[in-house]
Each structure stands twice: as C-alpha cells, then as structure tokens.
Amino acid sequence: MGKLIKHMTPREIECGICGEIDNHDHPDDRKVVPILNGEPTSSDGECDGYKAVCAKCYGRWDAWDERMKRSNALANAPARTGD
C-alpha cells in the first residue's frame, strides 16, 4: 500500500536564475528552465538538466525563448528571390 505524504511546510525553492527563495505550493508555480553548464538555455538548445525558477524569472526566460525561436525561424527561412 502506498504512503500518503502531507507536507506541513511550504515547498520553498531557490530560483536557479536570481536566487530568490520562492514558494512552489501550487502546481502552476512549479516552473523550470533548461540549463547548460549552469546557465539557462533556449528550449531548442542542448541542455544538461533543468532548474526550478520563480515565476518572474520564468516569464523573462519564456519571452527570451520566444524571441530566440522567432529569430532562428527568420534566419533559417529560405531567401526570397525577386519576381
């Protein structure tokens, strides 16, 4: 039979980007970013793990990740030829 575990204290984590202690009690608060050699990387890049981050840092990382995806899509788009 499985065990029921009730955490009596908040699930606090240290943000992997800014170092702030954050509460991860709610599933929507549990955000992670891919990390390569200790630094955040894009979701399309190589990574060697993930680190938990606060909501503020996740928002900044997500915006940067979206810009990287758009930038890569433009860079890889076929060149237009004149009509």
Side-chain angles (χ1 to χ4, degrees):
M1 181 179 232
K3 292 182 180 181
L4 175 64
I5 298 174
K6 178 151 176 87
H7 296 276
M8 300 303 287
T9 57
R11 293 182 182 172
E12 293 181 343
I13 58 102
E14 181 177 347
C15 176
I17 296 176
C18 72
E20 180 178 324
I21 302 296
D22 196 17
N23 187 334
H24 275 206
D25 274 350
H26 195 274
D28 291 343
D29 295 336
R30 297 176 191 153
K31 306 286 188 191
V32 297
V33 299
I35 301 292
L36 177 65
N37 298 326
E39 296 296 323
T41 185
S42 70
S43 58
D44 293 332
E46 182 180 338
C47 75
D48 49 30
Y50 293 85
K51 284 189 180 177
V53 294
C54 66
K56 183 178 173 182
C57 286
Y58 182 81
R60 286 189 299 204
W61 173 84
D62 192 42
W64 170 80
D65 191 49
E66 287 299 317
R67 287 192 306 273
M68 291 295 293
K69 287 178 183 176
R70 284 194 303 273
S71 175
N72 289 341
L74 291 175
N76 295 328
R80 292 185 60 179
T81 58
D83 293 343

